[in-house]
Amino acid sequence: MNSSSSASPLSPTANRTSRPVIGPSWFAAVMGTGIVANAAVTLPRSFDGLRTAATVVWLSAALLLMLLAVRYLRQRTLRVHAADPVVVQFFGAPPMALLTVGAGALLLGRRVIGLEAALAVDRVLWSLGTVLGLVAACAVPYRMVTRHRFAPDAAFGGWLMPVVPPMVSAATGALLVPYTPTGQLRLALLLGCYAMLGLGLVAALLVLAMIYSRLVHHDAPTGTVVPTVWIGLGALGQSVTALGALAVVAPSALPAPYARGTAVFALLGGIVVWGFAMLWLALAIGLTVRTVRAGLPFAPTWWSFIFPVGACVTATGALAARTGSEPFIWTAVVLYALLVIAWVVVAGHSLGHAAEHVRRRPVAGHERRWPVDRQGGLRSEAGSRRGMNNSCQ
């Protein structure tokens, strides 16, 4: 997370604001809340009242998305955040928030607003989220190459955030394929989703290699940077989810031989990537337990626990649906139960953190910072801001 050029300071306008500055990382709260709702629909086992509860959670995610979007646009800090070598990584969060809420509209919202309205909402949010996600996937790496110089120990989980949105577009775009007119338009959507899956997956594997190299060659991450290790699980889980979702709708757009090939690819490729995801899950759990024992202060990075586990639930559910394997079925159920517990904990801390800042106005020119240390981690001292963004960025 180190760079030879430090992040630009907040503008005077931002310093004079009467409320804390919201960073793009806070959109991970929408992602996490939305995946709790969406994952409930993909579970291979149904439970009484679960769908109704998931609909309420989706509505909460939609409301939170609107509130954060309005607040973020009104504060006019886009250029300031784009200049920060760490904060810019989290520009992948808003597109994924749009995509997650849009998918929830079609999976759950149709019971509330009707199919036509839900389809219209999903199309708008998917289109906007896909465009913003592709921009982030291209622009952020370009900016890293041309504008910043990083130390050998700089790689962290946040580097995955800009490249994962195209995979989320692929997984959620599969929901729109059956509602797209047959012919070239439907085929283009399906092939475009596969292309975005390849874009995101290959880029994510490259970043995962850099993160693993950083982990084994330098000091282990500490403090609030540790939750970002879980983002790797989300990238892997999304790829498996996308493979399964696209294979389901492929027969409506591709000739029979290739449609059957997508099913084989979804099963064999999905299981291979899922196995790697379990390895990354074990690594993330170990690092998290180690950090919790030393003390893990709250930061927006806690939301890095939620969406990745949710992606793992949808991935496991996709494999369970394709294979009928009981171990996959119960693994998905257990993971979802853990997801809900983690979401309750993180959401509770986030609400408490937000309430604290509502009661307290920042002093002009003395905003809180999260400085990045030389090990690529974050200093967790109270009263600091940077990198992973607390509520003041």
Side-chain angles (χ1 to χ4, degrees):
M1 247 167 289
N2 292 2
S3 174
S4 58
S5 59
S6 60
S8 302
L10 291 177
S11 64
T13 300
N15 282 338
R16 290 195 300 266
T17 185
S18 61
R19 292 185 180 181
V21 177
I22 296 175
S25 65
W26 275 108
F27 284 87
V30 180
M31 295 165 52
T33 302
I35 199 69
V36 169
N38 296 350
V41 182
T42 69
L43 283 179
R45 286 282 187 272
S46 60
F47 299 91
D48 293 339
L50 181 58
R51 196 176 185 93
T52 300
T55 302
V56 173
V57 174
W58 169 75
L59 288 171
S60 300
L63 177 60
L64 182 59
L65 173 63
M66 290 186 287
L67 293 176
L68 287 177
V70 170
R71 178 69 181 118
Y72 187 77
L73 294 174
R74 288 182 62 185
Q75 69 188 17
R76 298 179 181 179
T77 54
L78 181 64
R79 294 183 64 182
V80 174
H81 290 163
D84 189 299
V86 174
V87 178
V88 71
Q89 305 297 330
F90 293 92
F91 275 5
M96 288 189 281
L98 292 167
L99 294 166
T100 304
V101 172
L106 202 53
L107 291 171
L108 297 162
R110 61 199 300 174
R111 301 175 62 192
V112 180
I113 61 178
L115 176 59
E116 291 301 320
L119 189 58
V121 169
D122 190 20
R123 282 174 172 160
V124 170
L125 293 184
W126 185 85
S127 300
L128 182 58
T130 297
V131 171
L132 292 178
L134 289 172
V135 169
C138 297
V140 174
Y142 176 80
R143 194 173 187 89
M144 293 172 69
V145 171
T146 60
R147 297 291 183 90
H148 306 301
R149 291 297 177 266
F150 296 91
D153 61 348
F156 76 110
W159 283 15
L160 288 162
M161 292 295 287
V163 299
V164 171
M167 280 196 288
V168 181
S169 290
T172 55
L175 298 174
L176 292 172
V177 171
Y179 300 99
T180 303
T182 58
Q184 288 298 315
L185 194 58
R186 180 178 295 188
L187 179 62
L189 176 58
L190 179 68
L191 297 181
C193 287
Y194 269 111
M196 287 188 289
L197 171 59
L199 185 162
L201 178 57
V202 174
L205 291 175
L206 291 174
V207 176
L208 283 171
M210 288 188 283
I211 295 172
Y212 185 75
S213 177
R214 179 251 190 268
L215 291 175
V216 299
H217 288 112
H218 302 279
D219 292 341
T222 59
T224 52
V225 75
V226 171
T228 66
V229 175
W230 289 72
I231 299 175
L233 179 66
L236 298 170
Q238 273 300 305
S239 66
V240 178
T241 302
L243 284 172
L246 291 171
V248 170
V249 298
S252 67
L254 290 176
Y258 303 107
R260 288 196 295 270
T262 63
V264 174
F265 189 32
L267 176 59
L268 300 183
I271 290 177
V272 169
V273 176
W274 186 87
F276 180 38
M278 293 302 100
L279 170 63
W280 201 268
L281 174 61
L283 179 62
I285 290 174
L287 289 172
T288 302
V289 171
R290 177 178 180 271
T291 305
V292 168
R293 289 176 176 174
L296 179 61
F298 175 79
T301 51
W302 278 32
W303 283 102
S304 300
F305 295 128
I306 309 303
F307 189 85
V309 176
C312 198
V313 172
T314 58
T316 308
L319 292 174
R322 191 160 294 279
T323 62
S325 168
E326 286 292 328
F328 275 130
I329 291 173
W330 289 109
T331 298
V333 171
V334 170
L335 285 173
Y336 186 74
L338 296 175
L339 170 66
V340 172
I341 294 171
W343 175 72
V344 170
V345 172
V346 175
H349 278 79
S350 298
L351 290 174
H353 201 64
E356 175 186 351
H357 283 282
V358 167
R359 293 192 301 266
R360 182 176 64 226
R361 291 171 178 265
V363 179
H366 293 82
E367 297 199 33
R368 299 169 59 143
R369 296 184 177 271
W370 289 97
V372 181
D373 62 30
R374 293 192 176 185
Q375 284 70 43
L378 300 174
R379 296 175 188 165
S380 59
E381 295 88 358
S384 62
R385 187 273 312 160
R386 159 109 191 250
M388 296 308 110
N389 314 325
N390 65 358
S391 65
C392 296
Q393 174 135 321

